[in-house]
Amino acid sequence: MDDLTEEMQAALVAASRDASPVRGLTHGYYKYPARFSAVFASAAIKAFTQPGDLVLDPHVGGGTTLVEALACGREAVGVDISSLAEFITNVKCTVYSEGELETLEAWSKKIGAVVDIHKPSTALTDYEQLGYYKHLDHPSRWRLRKAIEQSIAAAIKLGTPRLEAFGRCVVLRSAQWALDGRSKRATIDGFRRTLEETADDMVNGARNLRRSVRNHGRQQPVTILRRSAIGIHDEPSLNDMRAPHLVVTSPPYPGVHVLYHRWQVDGRKEAPLPFMIANKLDGAGLSYYTMGDRKYPGLKTYFDNITGSMSSVAALADHDTVVVQMVAFSAPDWQLPRYLEAMEAAGLAEMRLPVLKGDRDGRLWRSVPGRRWYSAQRGTTPGSQEVVLFHRKVRQPSAASAAVSDRAAR
């Protein structure tokens, strides 16, 4: 970390503590829970990489890291176990042609008129049979159900997989506004208006991303893998991948309740609707996405999983790779030391920013603005504080690290 100038370090600190909402480029396509700070991701990419370098995010979530890497002219690889994260990140990172953007712009101007409760809609029968219509089948929601079905049909009629995915993402974001965590039911007029505004904003975001990419000349490749990060060092599609210059990520947080895979309708009624709208299938419950049940004693499953995933990251890295993580804890007094032990077992050594020497514990802490966790309804909690951790690969891996890497490979 001593190779960073004081000015670069100060820029990282300021970016980490930036309280502005996540916006710009394609970041507004969907409000993914616990969204990573785009300002910080951009600052880290600019501080630790050069154009053309490879950036890896092994817990890609809503795709913030990959969007910023793409916009900065860096190659990017993202990994996530969630098919919803894969869908959202793919749409956010698609650089549409001018012809595609013209098609989407024309579509955005008429999408609101598609919603007409006096006209029929086509039910997504397979998803309905699998229970994805949960809480949308209530008699009070037949209008909204019809509006969502009509909007999805309009997205499908765009005719190509890339354009359909964009259209579905418009519906996804609009339906999230209408259903997720609302205390008052949305009206059909409100949904129609949100569809139009969302489509327009997303087209503008796509144009801005295209412009940023073109400013860097040749578009760098973006690879998105839907799988566990454990074992990615043996992933066949990454066999020829060079070592990432930067790993920047925000993994699931130990002991913090985050609904990555559900919306909450009418209070705490969980609904898998986002997967249906994205034309994806859900996984296997909350612990599937959070690397372990937060009620498991000592969070052993979580720490075993984070050690395994970061061991695979270390196996892909070289000694020049910088690993940057933004993490929060429900009980930082014991969870942070345990997390650092897991990083050590994975073969990663912690570094500190020299400019923070003497500041608190010497680490980079930030308060989280607008945290959308349901625990946050009680006010400021330990989970509303995040710490940015910096690591590099240990030059001489310990026997424990070698054993963990071997287990992850098996």
Side-chain angles (χ1 to χ4, degrees):
M1 301 294 281
D2 292 330
D3 54 345
L4 291 181
T5 65
E6 285 194 14
E7 183 179 3
M8 293 170 72
Q9 293 179 56
L12 276 173
V13 172
S16 75
R17 293 172 177 167
D18 183 271
S20 60
V22 178
R23 59 163 60 101
L25 298 173
T26 57
H27 295 303
Y29 279 21
Y30 184 72
K31 290 189 175 181
Y32 201 81
R35 288 192 293 171
F36 197 19
S37 166
V39 173
F40 179 73
S42 177
I45 289 166
K46 291 172 181 175
F48 295 111
T49 68
Q50 296 295 321
D53 284 345
L54 175 63
V55 177
L56 169 67
D57 188 340
H59 302 282
V60 80
T64 301
T65 297
L66 270 60
V67 171
E68 289 298 328
L70 179 61
C72 289
R74 275 65 164 175
E75 183 179 354
V77 174
V79 181
D80 205 288
I81 200 168
S82 168
S83 61
L84 183 62
E86 176 196 29
F87 169 81
I88 293 164
T89 303
N90 262 311
V91 179
K92 284 184 175 181
C93 292
T94 299
V95 180
Y96 295 96
S97 70
E98 188 58 38
E100 287 176 315
L101 288 171
E102 289 174 1
T103 298
L104 291 171
E105 188 170 32
W107 181 84
S108 72
K109 295 181 185 305
K110 57 187 180 184
I111 181 60
V114 166
V115 176
D116 186 340
I117 61 169
H118 301 295
K119 293 183 179 179
S121 65
T122 302
L124 304 174
T125 308
D126 290 346
Y127 281 101
E128 189 172 22
Q129 291 174 350
L130 291 170
Y132 284 73
Y133 272 74
K134 190 175 183 181
H135 307 309
L136 197 58
D137 269 337
H138 192 276
S140 66
R141 287 205 178 82
W142 69 268
R143 293 177 179 82
L144 189 54
R145 167 180 167 154
K146 177 174 280 192
I148 291 172
E149 290 171 344
Q150 290 171 337
S151 304
I152 292 173
I156 294 170
K157 288 179 182 177
L158 280 164
T160 70
R162 284 159 58 98
L163 296 181
E164 178 185 332
F166 182 96
R168 283 181 177 271
C169 198
V170 170
V171 182
L172 181 69
R173 177 69 189 92
S174 302
Q176 184 185 40
W177 167 86
L179 290 165
D180 188 23
R182 286 186 68 98
S183 58
K184 183 179 179 181
R185 277 190 193 131
T187 65
I188 291 301
D189 284 342
F191 180 74
R192 187 184 291 112
R193 184 173 57 253
T194 299
L195 270 177
E196 294 170 344
E197 293 173 353
T198 299
D200 184 61
D201 287 346
M202 284 177 56
V203 171
N204 289 333
R207 286 193 183 281
N208 289 335
L209 179 62
R210 176 180 167 82
R211 191 175 300 116
S212 295
V213 169
R214 288 169 67 87
N215 286 342
H216 289 281
R218 186 173 72 89
Q219 180 180 334
Q220 294 294 326
V222 173
T223 303
I224 302 162
L225 302 175
R226 184 174 63 83
R227 55 156 296 159
S228 168
I230 298 175
I232 55 172
H233 60 292
D234 283 333
E235 167 64 37
S237 62
L238 301 183
N239 280 347
D240 298 326
M241 188 183 86
R242 66 190 189 278
H245 213 78
L246 172 67
V247 177
V248 59
T249 193
S250 186
Y253 299 162
V256 178
H257 178 56
V258 182
L259 281 175
Y260 294 105
H261 65 307
R262 292 284 192 272
W263 290 343
Q264 288 201 325
V265 180
D266 285 348
R268 294 185 175 273
K269 297 176 183 176
E270 296 181 11
L273 288 166
F275 289 90
M276 180 189 77
I277 296 170
N279 198 27
K280 298 291 181 180
L281 292 176
D282 195 358
L286 180 62
S287 62
Y288 178 80
Y289 300 104
T290 58
M291 300 198 299
D293 189 337
R294 74 186 192 278
K295 297 178 181 178
Y296 197 93
L299 299 177
K300 182 180 184 302
T301 306
Y302 174 88
F303 286 113
D304 284 350
N305 281 320
I306 196 67
T307 304
S309 67
M310 297 311 291
S311 293
S312 289
V313 168
L316 288 171
D318 62 21
H319 299 301
D320 292 323
T321 303
V322 177
V323 180
V324 181
Q325 300 177 78
M326 193 173 276
V327 196
F329 306 93
S330 61
D333 287 349
W334 72 267
Q335 290 168 358
L336 173 57
R338 181 69 186 86
Y339 196 91
L340 294 172
E341 290 173 6
M343 295 305 102
E344 184 178 359
L348 298 170
E350 188 183 9
M351 304 179 295
R352 309 277 182 100
L353 289 175
V355 294
L356 293 176
K357 187 176 181 180
D359 182 11
R360 195 168 172 174
D361 61 356
R363 297 187 179 92
L364 179 52
W365 291 87
R366 70 187 293 260
S367 294
V368 185
R371 173 58 72 212
R372 289 187 72 252
W373 296 334
Y374 299 101
S375 59
Q377 291 173 353
R378 296 192 301 269
T380 300
T381 68
S384 64
Q385 290 282 311
E386 288 177 330
V387 62
V388 180
L389 300 174
F390 300 90
H391 286 82
R392 267 202 171 109
K393 188 173 182 176
V394 176
R395 290 197 174 272
Q396 294 296 329
S398 65
S401 172
V404 169
S405 295
D406 183 58
R407 285 200 303 274
R410 293 200 298 269

